[in-house]
Amino acid sequence: MKYFKKLVLMLFLIILLCLCSTSIFSATNDITTYSPTCLLMESKTGKIIYEKNAYEKMFPASTTKIMTAILALEHCELTDVATASYEAIFSVPARIH
């Protein structure tokens, strides 16, 4: 079962990388992203290659969802049920547009 979880996680990450790489790693210097903010950094040196509104304060919704999925696949069975309290759900700040 752990092998299956790792396989599903790897496939998910590969698909995510393929979807993102078409707009970020283009051959031209003109990078087009639909996200209001983004940051592309070289992992070994920490050098920022590209940024768009990188210092604007935002909530990490997509990162949180991906991290939750990874932790669930690593530590839970697919049949497990999780319950969240009312306070846990509504204590998270929400931004109203």
Side-chain angles (χ1 to χ4, degrees):
M1 191 65 171
K2 285 190 175 198
Y3 176 76
F4 177 74
K5 288 180 184 178
K6 287 181 182 181
L7 180 64
V8 169
L9 177 61
M10 291 302 293
L11 288 174
F12 174 77
L13 293 175
I14 289 170
I15 291 169
L16 184 65
L17 180 63
C18 290
L19 291 174
C20 294
S21 65
T22 56
S23 64
I24 295 175
F25 301 109
S26 61
T28 65
N29 290 335
D30 298 326
I31 297 176
T32 302
T33 62
Y34 297 103
S35 173
T37 62
C38 71
L39 179 75
L40 178 62
M41 179 188 300
E42 185 178 1
S43 62
K44 290 183 181 179
T45 64
K47 179 183 175 187
I48 296 176
I49 299 169
Y50 176 78
E51 69 174 284
K52 178 181 174 185
N53 300 326
Y55 300 100
E56 183 178 333
K57 185 176 180 179
M58 297 192 69
F59 294 105
S62 296
T63 306
T64 304
K65 291 173 194 170
I66 292 171
M67 193 65 200
T68 301
I70 291 170
L71 290 172
L73 286 171
E74 288 179 350
H75 299 285
C76 301
E77 296 294 324
L78 295 177
T79 57
D80 290 351
V81 176
T83 304
S85 68
Y86 180 87
E87 292 81 19
I89 294 171
F90 291 102
S91 66
V92 177
R95 186 167 55 169
I96 300 173
H97 295 282

